[in-house]
Amino acid sequence: MDVVTLGESMALFTPITQGYMRYASMFSLKIAGAESNVAIGLARLGHQCGWMSRLGKDEFGKKILNFIRGEGVDVSCVSFDSSAPTGLYFKEIVSDKEINIQYYRKDSAASRMKPSDLNEAYIAQAKYLHLTGITPALSEGCKETVYAAIEMAKKNGVTVIFDPNMRRRLWSEKEAKEVLLDIISNVDIVLPGQDEAMVLFGEYEPEDMAQQFLDHGVGSVVLKLGAEGAYYKTNKESGFVKAFPVERVVDPVGAGDGFAAGFISGLLDGLTFVEAVKRACAVGAMVTQINGDIEGLPEREKLERFISGSYQKDVNR
Ligand code: KDG
């Protein structure tokens, strides 16, 4: 197995029409969840991935499992809970400038995950363990599960990649900062957004911000700078990578997961660090072009055409 991820996935409802949800009468039903988004992104690029989670034993849980399995992600470490529901998530697209997220996930099946749900042998056989800061925000049990997974990975020489993915609807900045900083000091590679990094360390230019992460004990950091691209720093090298131009952002949600999938895919393919960051920027940009958190995650051939600049010119008649 190349990569194992752990986290909650939900049924995602989006009104068919733009505007406030109170006026919506029709919704599309998709699935989403930061960690399964990354697993799907990696699977589409041809990597072997597993996703660990708990789902409600309900129709949405079954839909999510079938969908993720259908994408070629291993779901053998996903369990069903008959006493708690699958979480729901609504994405209200009011305008190009305003997207509101509403969760209905308190006491969901996934929020009941605990360390004993983990299978150490499953984590041990992976090259990378990918985690995000969403899971520790779900419950005390989930937080303990994240720490236990990190422990298992470290014990077995598995590289841990962490996306802080700070979700202010799940916890306060103060709480998030305390836990995320502690997790960050325990992992190998961190993929923060610039705004999250600012909450964690204060205001710095990218170069100094990246150094803050290294001083905090991280091996390598890739700072996501949105339309500016990314800045990376390891103990050997550092530099800026330009973003891929995007004509119109249709839906930015999920771009960070695409970025993570592209980056890990690059590492798995043995690309240099900077080339892996470039692939990350490309996948992140592609995700913003299609509505939905996973719909824009490319297959390898499309990604290659996007990077070479030929994909934008496609006319499919
Ligand atoms: O990164 C996108 C995720 O935020 C989305 O797919 C849903 O996992 C999700 C969350 O908790 O917001």
Side-chain angles (χ1 to χ4, degrees), residues 77 81 118 121 137 195 219 234 246 248 258 262 289-290 301:
C77 283
D81 187 329
L118 296 173
D195 54 334
T234 72
V246 155
R248 190 174 86 89
Q289 302 295 280
I290 299 184
E301 182 255 347

Side-chain angles (χ1 to χ4, degrees), residues 10 32-34 37 89 103 105 134 167 253-254 257 293:
M10 297 162 285
N37 296 348
Y89 145 48
Y103 296 128
R105 67 196 302 186
I134 296 172
R167 297 287 180 266
V253 183
D257 304 328
D293 296 13

Side-chain angles (χ1 to χ4, degrees), residues 97-218:
K97 290 194 183 63
E98 186 184 346
I99 298 182
N100 300 311
I101 301 297
Q102 191 68 49
Y103 296 128
Y104 292 83
R105 67 196 302 186
K106 196 171 177 319
D107 298 323
S108 67
S111 74
R112 296 185 176 194
M113 283 192 287
K114 47 187 184 344
S116 58
D117 288 346
L118 296 173
N119 176 343
E120 183 169 344
Y122 192 73
I123 294 176
Q125 42 92 48
K127 296 185 184 108
Y128 295 96
L129 169 70
H130 177 75
L131 300 167
T132 86
I134 296 172
T135 317
L138 299 177
S139 68
E140 220 24 59
C142 283
K143 185 162 80 184
E144 286 165 14
T145 309
V146 165
Y147 276 105
I150 294 173
E151 247 344 276
M152 289 175 189
K154 281 178 132 181
K155 193 172 138 201
N156 292 283
V158 178
T159 303
V160 184
I161 303 189
F162 185 68
D163 181 342
N165 257 344
M166 193 181 288
R167 297 287 180 266
R168 290 171 177 82
R169 292 215 189 264
L170 296 177
W171 53 0
S172 68
E173 264 188 16
K174 184 174 170 286
E175 230 184 324
K177 184 174 168 179
E178 202 180 297
V179 176
L180 296 178
L181 280 175
D182 190 49
I183 294 177
I184 284 168
S185 66
N186 274 295
V187 301
D188 301 293
I189 305 177
V190 185
L191 308 175
Q194 199 174 22
D195 54 334
E196 300 170 326
M198 267 198 297
V199 174
L200 296 176
F201 291 111
E203 240 175 273
Y204 290 98
E205 289 303 312
E207 294 93 327
D208 297 329
M209 184 68 93
Q211 189 58 45
Q212 294 290 324
F213 282 86
L214 264 56
D215 292 347
H216 203 71
V218 169

